[in-house]
Amino acid sequence: MAERVHVREIDDDEGGRLLRIIRRGTGAVVTWRRAQMVLLSAQGMPVAKIAEVSFTGDDRRRRGERGLIRHQSA
């Protein structure tokens, strides 16, 4: 079984930044997809549902969250 990945609680500023990335719809598709996945995860959506609405698999969603977390930490 794959390990569970949880997104830490995000504050209003971070949520707003993710929403701007998603709404803007320009720029790198990878960034847009990761922002969408992180926001949905932070809102408590289960992995299977995130995979369904983002048209991707559970393993890709986990990798996307890890990539965005590493990017924001740098």
Side-chain angles (χ1 to χ4, degrees):
M1 181 174 191
E3 68 178 277
R4 290 185 170 221
V5 176
H6 297 280
V7 175
R8 65 172 170 75
E9 204 169 296
I10 59 175
D11 61 29
D12 290 340
D13 291 336
E14 292 169 323
R17 189 168 50 176
L18 291 170
L19 278 173
R20 281 192 302 278
I21 291 169
I22 293 167
R23 289 180 180 158
R24 186 176 59 223
T26 59
V29 173
V30 172
T31 302
W32 181 86
R33 184 182 294 268
R34 286 178 179 170
Q36 179 189 40
M37 289 183 212
V38 169
L39 188 58
L40 293 173
S41 181
Q43 292 171 342
M45 186 175 284
V47 171
K49 187 65 176 174
I50 293 171
E52 180 183 321
V53 300
S54 62
F55 305 106
T56 191
D58 295 351
D59 60 331
R60 179 172 291 247
R61 186 203 60 88
R62 286 184 185 94
R63 284 194 315 261
E65 284 182 358
R66 286 186 192 119
L68 188 62
I69 291 166
R70 278 194 305 267
H71 176 72
Q72 288 180 345
S73 296

